[in-house]
Amino acid sequence: MKRFAWLLSVALFSSAIAQYPGAQPVPSDYKAGFDAILKEDIKKWIEYLAGPECEGRGTGQPGYKKAADYVAGYLQRFGAKPLGDNGSYFQHVPFFEARADNAKTFMAFNNLKLSAGREINVLSGAGMGEEEAEIVFVQGGGDARLEPNEGFSGKIVIVFGKNVNPQLRRQTTFGSLASFTVVEKLGETTWTLARGPIPDKPPTGIGAVRGEITLEAAQRLAKALGVPDSIAQMPDLSKGAFANRFVATEKVKITTASEFRAAFVANVVGIIEGSDPELKAEFVGVGAHLDHLGKRGNVVFWGADDDASGCAAVLGVAKGLHENPNKPKRSVILMFFAAEEAGLIGSRYLTDNPTFDLSKMTSEFQLDMVGRNEENRTEKASDNEDTIHLVGTRRVSNDIHDLMQEANKYVNFKFEYDEEDVYGRSDHINFARKGIPIAFLFSGFHPDYHQPGDTVDKINFDKATNASKLAYIAVSMSANRTEPFKKIEGN
Ligand SMILES: [Zn+2]
C-alpha cells in the first residue's frame, strides 16, 4: 500500500512538472490523454531504443529490427492497427545484402588454388566472373611510396607490408582488377547493404575487387610465380623509402561469385481509427525516424536524441490518444521511418507507395531530435532548457502554423524560428512534396550531433516529454478541426 502510494505520487509529480510555467490548463477534451504521457515512459523508451539492445539502429543491422519490433509492440498495446504490408506493422523498403560467395571465389595459378574463406577474403566488388590477369607484387609497409605515375589498371595487386600508408593503398587499388592486402589472419566476409530488391542473378564481371590474402598464401603464390623472396616480406619501411614492386611474367586466374540475402529495412506504421463515420477516412500523420547510424566497426552511434527522442514522443502520442476517452474524429497514422539517415529513403518510399490513401492525409507532424538543448558558439545549452524550433509551418499552409501556436498554449515551449534551413532534412519533406501541410519540431543542434556521444544520459527528458505532449495536442486538434487547411499557392 505504501509503495503504491509512493508510485502514484511520483507519477502525479512528474506530469505536473512537465508543462512549462505559464502554460494554460489543458482542455478537458484532451486532458486524460495529455496526462497519460509520462516522463517515465519517454525515458524508458529512449533508454531502450538508444540502449545496448538496438546498437544505434543502423539500417539493415540487427539492432534496427529490434527497435522496429519494440515500437510495433507498443503500437499494438496502444490500440493502433497495423498499416504495413500484409496486415503487419512493417512496410518493407527494398534493400538486400551482398557478399562474396566463398564456395565459388578463388584465385588460381597452375595447380595452386587459393580459396576464399581460407587463403583469401573478398570484401567488396565480387560480381560473377572469371578473368586472367597480370599480377604485381608490391612491398610497401610504413611510409614507403611508389612513383606517383605508377598505375595498376586491369591488374591483380598483392600488397605486402606493415602499416601500409593510405596513399599507397589508394594507388594500388585505383583501377586495378583486384587488390589484396597481405594479412596475418583473414577477417570476416562481411555483408554489404544495397538498395533494391534481391537481384535474380548476380551482376556479371569482376570489378575493383578489394580483399585480403594470408601471408602464408601470398608467399606460396609468390614462390610459384618466381617472385624474389625479398619482395614477399612484411617490412615497416621508414620515411622516404620507395616501395618495391615485381610484375610476374605469367598470368593468374581469379574467379568470383556473390550471394544475396534480404535485409530488414522497414517503416513501422500503425493507425488509430477516427471516431467520426465520415472523417475517419481522412488521416493525420505523426512521425519520427527509427534508424540512426548504428554500429560502425566497434563504435556505436547511439542516436538518443537523433531520433530515439522523436520515436519516444510518437509513442507518447499513441498512448495519449489511446488513454483519452474522447477519440479524434479523423484517423491518426503513427509512423516510424526507416533509412532516414541514408537520405530520407523510408519516408520517400512510404509517400511513393503509401499503404493508405495519401491524398486523404490532411497534415503531418514530424519530431526529429526533440530531446536536447541547442548548443553552439552563440547559444549556451543552459539557455535552451525550454526552447524548440518550429520548422516548415509556413511552407504548405499557414494554418498549421496557427494550429501549432494554439496547441503550444498548453505546453508553453519557447518556439524558435531560426532553423528553417533544416526544412529539407527530415521525413516531413516527403509529405510536403505531396502538398501535405507539415510541422517539424526540432530542439536544435549540439556538439554530439551524429557523434557516438549522442547518448541517453544527456537527454532532457522534460523536453522530450513536452514535445510528445505538444504533438499529441496538435495531432488531436488537427484530427478534430472543421476547416480544411488553406494551402499556400503552389502546393
Ligand atoms: Zn534525425
Side-chain angles (χ1 to χ4, degrees):
M1 189 64 200
K2 194 160 183 283
R3 186 175 160 77
F4 176 74
W6 179 79
L7 282 172
L8 190 69
S9 68
V10 167
L12 288 173
F13 177 69
S14 69
S15 67
I17 59 161
Q19 276 165 287
Y20 295 116
Q24 293 180 13
V26 177
S28 59
D29 279 0
Y30 301 139
K31 192 171 186 324
F34 189 91
D35 290 346
I37 299 169
L38 301 177
K39 186 162 87 168
E40 285 74 9
D41 288 331
I42 297 288
K43 183 165 183 281
K44 178 177 68 185
W45 297 331
I46 296 175
E47 278 172 348
Y48 181 83
L49 293 172
E53 284 287 317
C54 296
E55 292 189 321
R57 311 176 306 283
T59 294
Q61 295 182 353
Y64 182 81
K65 172 75 164 63
K66 287 186 183 171
D69 285 337
Y70 185 78
V71 295
Y74 275 102
L75 286 182
Q76 186 168 33
R77 187 191 293 195
F78 296 143
K81 293 184 179 155
L83 200 59
D85 302 333
N86 308 317
S88 79
Y89 288 101
F90 304 133
Q91 183 195 32
H92 294 276
V93 183
F95 270 84
F96 67 97
E97 288 184 295
R99 71 173 180 187
D101 184 346
N102 281 349
K104 297 174 186 160
T105 298
F106 57 91
M107 258 199 304
F109 173 69
N110 291 344
N111 292 331
L112 181 63
K113 183 177 173 186
L114 304 177
S115 300
R118 270 216 319 265
E119 287 99 0
I120 63 170
N121 183 26
V122 168
L123 297 167
S124 67
M128 186 132 95
E130 184 175 293
E131 291 204 39
E132 274 201 318
E134 267 192 342
I135 185 162
V136 188
F137 292 79
V138 174
Q139 185 198 58
D143 289 316
R145 305 282 160 95
L146 287 162
E147 294 287 358
N149 59 354
E150 183 104 39
F152 299 91
S153 181
K155 294 184 170 63
I156 299 170
V157 191
I158 308 287
V159 184
F160 289 87
K162 287 181 185 138
N163 307 312
V164 173
N165 66 74
Q167 189 184 326
L168 185 73
R169 198 172 291 288
R170 268 197 304 278
Q171 201 174 352
T172 51
T173 52
F174 183 76
S176 70
L177 179 68
S179 172
F180 292 92
T181 302
V182 178
V183 294
E184 295 289 341
K185 193 168 167 288
L186 297 180
E188 263 180 75
T189 309
T190 45
W191 293 95
T192 304
L193 191 68
R195 277 184 79 177
I198 294 184
D200 297 336
K201 54 182 170 52
T204 48
I206 302 174
V209 167
R210 307 276 168 269
E212 304 167 328
I213 182 168
T214 65
L215 177 60
E216 182 276 328
Q219 287 176 336
R220 230 176 338 134
L221 183 63
K223 202 175 191 67
L225 286 158
V227 179
D229 279 351
S230 59
I231 296 272
Q233 302 295 334
M234 295 288 275
D236 191 350
L237 300 175
S238 63
K239 253 196 163 49
F242 268 96
N244 299 309
R245 69 183 217 0
F246 185 89
V247 185
T249 50
E250 291 180 90
K251 288 186 172 178
V252 166
K253 192 168 85 174
I254 181 166
T255 303
T256 63
S258 42
E259 57 180 342
F260 305 109
R261 69 178 184 189
F264 180 93
V265 180
N267 296 314
V268 185
V269 196
I271 181 168
I272 293 180
E273 280 187 355
S275 57
D276 184 280
E278 278 169 30
L279 289 178
K280 68 187 272 191
E282 294 184 0
F283 313 110
V284 174
V286 56
H289 68 90
L290 188 58
D291 69 297
H292 188 57
L293 304 173
K295 196 174 176 186
R296 300 184 169 188
N298 289 323
V299 181
V300 176
F301 291 74
W302 304 98
D305 184 34
D306 189 7
D307 186 23
S309 67
C311 292
V314 173
L315 286 180
V317 173
K319 189 185 180 202
L321 294 171
H322 181 58
E323 303 222 347
N324 203 54
N326 301 302
K327 298 302 173 195
K329 293 195 173 89
R330 291 181 182 81
S331 299
V332 175
I333 297 180
L334 304 132
M335 302 173 288
F336 301 85
F337 302 109
E340 189 267 0
E341 302 286 12
L344 317 182
I345 294 169
S347 55
R348 176 81 195 207
Y349 189 79
L350 180 74
T351 50
D352 283 346
N353 308 275
T355 53
F356 51 89
D357 185 353
L358 190 63
S359 71
K360 295 278 168 33
M361 186 175 268
T362 65
S363 50
E364 200 262 345
F365 298 84
Q366 178 81 8
L367 298 106
D368 191 351
M369 299 171 65
V370 294
R372 287 284 294 265
N373 297 348
E374 183 180 23
E375 185 180 353
N376 56 38
R377 271 181 302 142
T378 55
E379 291 192 53
K380 283 194 303 217
S382 56
D383 292 337
N384 283 307
E385 284 292 333
D386 58 353
T387 59
I388 200 160
H389 299 87
L390 187 59
V391 178
T393 48
R394 291 196 183 282
R395 299 281 185 148
V396 186
S397 168
N398 285 311
D399 290 349
I400 202 164
H401 185 82
D402 299 339
L403 181 146
M404 289 305 293
Q405 307 302 321
E406 187 64 27
N408 190 40
K409 284 181 183 168
Y410 310 110
V411 177
N412 212 23
F413 267 114
K414 287 198 187 81
F415 279 155
E416 293 187 350
Y417 302 101
D418 59 341
E419 283 289 0
E420 197 61 25
D421 284 356
V422 301
Y423 177 61
R425 288 176 58 178
S426 192
D427 300 300
H428 57 272
I429 195 69
N430 283 317
F431 294 85
R433 180 172 73 83
K434 301 280 185 180
I436 297 166
I438 70 96
F440 171 25
L441 289 169
F442 167 58
S443 52
F445 292 108
H446 48 76
D448 297 303
Y449 172 70
H450 279 208
Q451 298 298 319
D454 181 4
T455 47
V456 175
D457 56 300
K458 295 171 192 151
I459 292 294
N460 178 341
F461 293 107
D462 284 324
K463 181 176 280 191
T465 306
N466 274 340
S468 182
K469 287 174 183 278
L470 174 60
Y472 160 78
I473 292 275
V475 164
S476 300
M477 284 178 163
S478 185
N480 289 329
R481 69 186 272 128
T482 45
E483 290 295 303
F485 287 99
K486 195 145 32 76
K487 303 269 184 84
I488 295 167
E489 215 174 309
N491 286 286

